[in-house]
Amino acid sequence: MSDTNDHSEPARRLATRAVHAGEPEPRIEGAVSMPIFQSATFETAGEKSYDAVRYVRLNNTPNHQALHAKLASLEGGEAAVVASSGMAAITTTLLALLSRGDHLLALEGLYGGTHTFVTRDLAEFGIGHDLMDGNRPETWSALLEPSTRAIYVETITNPLMQVPDLEQVVRFARTHGLVSIIDSTFATPVNYRPLESGFDLVLHSGTKYLNGHSDLAAGAVVGPRELVRRVTHRLNHLGGVLDPHACFLLHRGIKTLVLRVRQQNENALALARFLAESPAVEGVNYPGLETHPQHGRARKMFSGFGGMLSFDVRGGVEAADSLLNRLRIPRSAPSLGGVETLITRPATTSHAGVPPEERVRMGISDSLVRVSVGIEAPGDLVEDFEQGLEGIS
Ligand code: PLP
């Protein structure tokens, strides 16, 4: 068992790798399922370097190693490391790759935690940034500085589901010698292949689709061995380690990733199509709809459009809240990517900290509703939204 991708393995398809990659060979005591090694420390056996010492904070228990190998295989990377949350993976990666005096180019409209870290916290470490419009590559060169080291984007933005020009991001990074980093939480390895598309590092909030059951927090970083080594080194010191039990749960969750995401793609498309036809709805943001401004780009790059959508309800906040109250299947909660459908009004949850005038500028109205579509029967979801919307119109 090693925590890097074993390229001597046959190149199996994604669904097979999700189940089998990284599993210990031979099985431990014959256990078909990876056991939990709930041990903080391990007996020494003549290790010569600190990195070889087996200790839970060094991210090298058997559960970490198996999970790292599974994730590396899933994303087609050389190596992977997990962290205690998506934010731990993101902040540790940025602090591993950037130092005082460096400059970062980051996408406008990133996940709120990342946006705040980039725009406020990094400055305290002496690291500068500029924000770029993901749809206007012609404007990016003007933002470059001699100290620009990396470019940071997301596959699909929250909550308006914009799809930046990722092909141009890769090209731009290569031309200017930048490390390209993508948070692909929304797309998952099922719908988009960042490393095969030319990105250097892919990050995930494992809390969302990778685990898929809304019952843990985790993060992941996948890419070339040397970059992952640098992130791991920083993570060992910052200490955002994933507990072995959470490793076990994430490992188990990943086995059904492909099945779940395929169903979520199908359900979200069905729901988006229904909502687009509803007179009670003003506009639906879903990259799988032909009306989405970047639909062509999404169709070219993605093999599925994902489980996330948002829409405006006619009748404003009152109507939106009334819909949330009337729906019977979705739980009203933030977060996303679980098997159960979740619904939220971003102005009151994920974007509550953004001043109202700034939200308007970003195109996020108070009546915008975001749905993380689960794996329920699509007919039941559509029927539930149908009854919910009927009641408010
Ligand atoms: N990245 C994206 C796209 C997210 O939506 C989130 C959380 O919502 C995160 C990162 C942060 O993940 P976590 O909550 O696991 O720290």
Side-chain angles (χ1 to χ4, degrees):
M1 196 166 40
S2 112
D3 55 356
T4 55
N5 194 5
D6 181 356
H7 289 287
S8 62
E9 283 272 301
R12 296 206 166 114
R13 292 168 180 81
L14 193 66
T16 309
R17 302 206 302 272
V19 177
H20 294 289
E23 300 298 322
E25 226 24 279
R27 291 295 195 266
I28 297 160
E29 292 291 324
V32 170
S33 172
M34 176 74 203
I36 308 172
F37 286 79
Q38 198 70 44
S39 181
T41 188
F42 292 78
E43 286 181 334
T44 44
E47 290 84 353
K48 297 213 166 35
S49 77
Y50 177 61
D51 284 347
V53 170
R54 301 191 87 191
Y55 177 56
V56 66
R57 184 176 39 74
L58 301 181
N59 302 288
N60 58 12
T61 73
N63 290 100
H64 287 92
Q65 289 181 323
L67 183 53
H68 293 164
K70 194 181 278 298
L71 283 162
S73 172
L74 266 193
E75 283 289 15
E78 284 179 355
V81 65
V82 288
S84 55
S85 67
M87 281 310 295
I90 293 164
T91 56
T92 304
T93 297
L94 291 173
L95 292 175
L97 302 182
L98 302 169
S99 16
R100 178 171 292 281
D102 286 347
H103 175 258
L104 173 74
L105 214 48
L107 186 70
E108 261 170 17
L110 290 173
Y111 166 67
T114 312
H115 175 85
T116 308
F117 185 74
V118 166
T119 56
R120 300 204 197 135
D121 299 273
L122 278 186
E124 293 178 22
F125 293 91
I127 298 164
H129 76 276
D130 268 293
L131 298 180
M132 55 187 257
D133 179 338
N135 286 315
R136 298 180 61 214
E138 70 282 4
T139 61
W140 300 346
S141 295
L143 303 171
L144 278 177
E145 293 183 8
S147 57
T148 310
R149 297 279 172 265
I151 186 164
Y152 186 104
V153 297
E154 287 173 3
T155 320
I156 301 170
T157 67
N158 178 25
L160 296 173
M161 314 305 154
Q162 298 286 301
V163 181
D165 195 338
L166 302 176
E167 287 179 348
Q168 287 300 336
V169 171
V170 167
R171 205 162 297 152
F172 185 82
R174 289 200 170 154
T175 305
H176 298 286
L178 312 177
V179 179
S180 51
I181 309 166
I182 185 163
D183 175 341
S184 206
T185 298
F186 273 37
T188 82
V190 182
N191 289 336
Y192 182 56
R193 312 287 309 154
L195 300 181
E196 285 148 28
S197 306
F199 278 93
D200 292 313
L201 271 184
V202 53
L203 314 184
H204 287 278
S205 165
T207 316
K208 320 295 182 191
Y209 290 98
L210 290 185
N211 179 56
H213 292 77
S214 307
D215 54 8
L216 59 76
V221 182
V222 191
R225 208 167 270 118
E226 174 53 20
L227 288 180
V228 173
R229 189 197 61 73
R230 282 169 65 186
V231 175
T232 306
H233 183 73
R234 188 66 88 207
L235 186 64
N236 289 348
H237 291 157
L238 292 178
V241 65
L242 193 65
D243 180 80
H245 185 247
C247 287
F248 164 84
L249 288 174
L250 177 56
H251 185 115
R252 182 174 72 166
I254 289 172
K255 292 185 188 185
T256 55
L257 175 73
V258 178
L259 281 176
R260 285 187 279 105
V261 171
R262 281 192 193 137
Q263 189 64 50
Q264 281 161 318
N265 288 340
E266 189 184 316
N267 288 6
L269 187 59
L271 187 58
R273 289 204 168 125
F274 163 76
L275 292 169
E277 295 296 317
S278 168
V281 169
E282 274 203 73
V284 182
N285 306 304
Y286 185 64
L289 291 181
E290 290 74 11
T291 49
H292 186 282
Q294 295 105 33
H295 174 67
R297 182 184 292 162
R299 217 174 40 199
K300 187 169 163 219
M301 298 190 309
F302 301 160
S303 48
F305 301 108
M308 299 298 299
L309 60 86
S310 62
F311 59 96
D312 265 299
V313 182
R314 275 188 213 282
V317 171
E318 214 174 300
D321 280 341
S322 161
L323 172 67
L324 263 60
N325 288 332
R326 291 182 55 83
L327 288 171
R328 295 177 188 132
I329 294 176
R331 301 289 92 203
S332 177
S335 199
L336 57 115
V339 291
E340 63 287 299
T341 297
L342 297 180
I343 191 160
T344 187
R345 199 151 65 71
T348 62
T349 53
S350 58
H351 290 69
V354 180
E357 58 289 355
E358 173 72 1
R359 281 204 303 266
V360 170
R361 197 191 61 74
M362 293 165 78
I364 302 168
S365 72
D366 285 352
S367 58
L368 187 77
V369 169
R370 188 193 77 179
V371 187
S372 166
V373 183
I375 63 165
E376 300 92 342
D380 286 338
L381 284 176
V382 168
E383 276 170 31
D384 195 24
F385 274 82
E386 196 168 17
Q387 70 77 25
L389 288 165
E390 263 168 25
I392 61 165
S393 49

